[in-house]
Amino acid sequence: MRVIDISMEIHPDMPTYRGKGMAPERETYRRFKDGGVNETGLRLNLHTGTHLDSPLHMIDNVADTTTLPLERLIAKAQVLDCTDAQGAIHREHLERFNIEKGAFVLLKTRNSFDPACGGENFVYVARDGAEYLADRGISGVGIDTLGIERDQPDRMTHVTLLSRDVIILEGLRLQHVEPGEYLLIALPVYIRGAEGAPTRAVLVQGSLPVPG
């Protein structure tokens, strides 16, 4: 079995969405040398680093992250090579793949090879790409940057996916991942009423060991 971490490390100098100043703030409450214990606090936007979006992120009075079925977050994943997309991922970039119904699709783009996750002009999913993915009946979609769209009008990429019950996973790091099929484990922090949640995401190759 091989476990591949595809999460971003959280630290004050990490990339943020289009550099908009959403970096985490860390505070030390106690140090071991002073009181025999280390205690640290962390303040961060729920859309920092690797995180999940629930429908509540873009649609009012709907489900939050605590309602996402865990079996959909421990699921078969397809990593697709979209590194040829220069600006946006459109339907034409996705039609060439055999995308399976119910799969969690992870889009590997040139963002993964940029320490700034693509910066201001990161590769995102266009509305027609989102519509195609939703029509394929996927369970979720992940991308290797901090937003699945770049402030598009009416945020229709998000709305198209979330209104069709497609989970969104953002902030992945896929530069070291080959295209193919994996087991995805992406469990969000359990925060009541939250529209998004920090997530530790890994891909597993091979069979999971059976205890005992």
Side-chain angles (χ1 to χ4, degrees):
M1 179 186 73
R2 180 186 179 207
V3 178
I4 308 169
D5 196 343
I6 56 172
S7 307
M8 294 179 67
E9 183 183 10
I10 293 177
H11 58 87
D13 300 318
M14 70 186 297
T16 59
Y17 177 75
R18 304 192 74 180
K20 288 187 176 180
M22 297 163 56
E25 298 176 8
R26 181 170 175 166
E27 181 179 358
T28 300
Y29 298 125
R30 286 197 288 177
R31 296 184 184 276
F32 191 82
K33 65 179 182 178
D34 300 321
V37 64
N38 288 316
E39 285 188 1
T40 305
L42 184 67
R43 179 182 179 184
L44 77 166
N45 187 293
L46 294 180
H47 303 270
T48 300
T50 308
H51 64 278
L52 280 169
D53 288 348
S54 75
L56 189 60
H57 182 38
M58 293 290 171
I59 306 169
D60 200 14
N61 296 315
V62 291
D64 64 26
T65 54
T66 64
T67 68
L68 296 174
L70 294 184
E71 58 268 22
R72 292 183 60 191
L73 303 173
I74 305 175
K76 180 178 181 178
Q78 292 180 274
V79 177
L80 308 182
D81 185 351
C82 295
T83 52
D84 58 334
Q86 296 300 309
I89 297 172
H90 291 278
R91 179 188 183 101
E92 64 204 55
H93 293 106
L94 300 167
E95 290 177 325
R96 56 188 167 172
F97 300 112
N98 181 25
I99 297 175
E100 298 181 20
K101 181 178 181 180
F104 208 116
V105 172
L106 306 182
L107 305 173
K108 180 177 180 178
T109 77
R110 60 182 176 84
N111 299 324
S112 273
F113 302 92
D114 181 355
C117 295
E120 285 273 337
N121 298 311
F122 61 85
V123 177
Y124 64 97
V125 178
R127 179 177 181 175
D128 66 315
E131 290 172 343
Y132 179 75
L133 290 172
D135 288 343
R136 296 293 298 177
I138 65 170
S139 176
V141 57
I143 193 165
D144 52 1
T145 190
L146 294 162
I148 203 163
E149 63 186 323
R150 253 198 261 147
D151 292 332
Q152 308 312 117
D154 299 319
R155 298 177 172 85
M156 286 309 300
T157 295
H158 273 95
V159 172
T160 296
L161 295 167
L162 295 174
S163 66
R164 302 273 298 272
D165 196 31
V166 178
I167 298 169
I168 297 174
L169 180 59
E170 298 171 327
L172 301 177
R173 303 311 287 155
L174 299 173
Q175 71 272 29
H176 55 303
V177 179
E178 293 296 323
E181 295 184 355
Y182 300 84
L183 174 67
L184 169 69
I185 302 176
L187 301 180
V189 178
Y190 202 37
I191 307 172
R192 181 187 298 178
E195 80 290 342
T199 300
R200 187 67 178 267
V202 301
L203 295 174
V204 180
Q205 281 182 313
S207 301
L208 292 171
V210 178

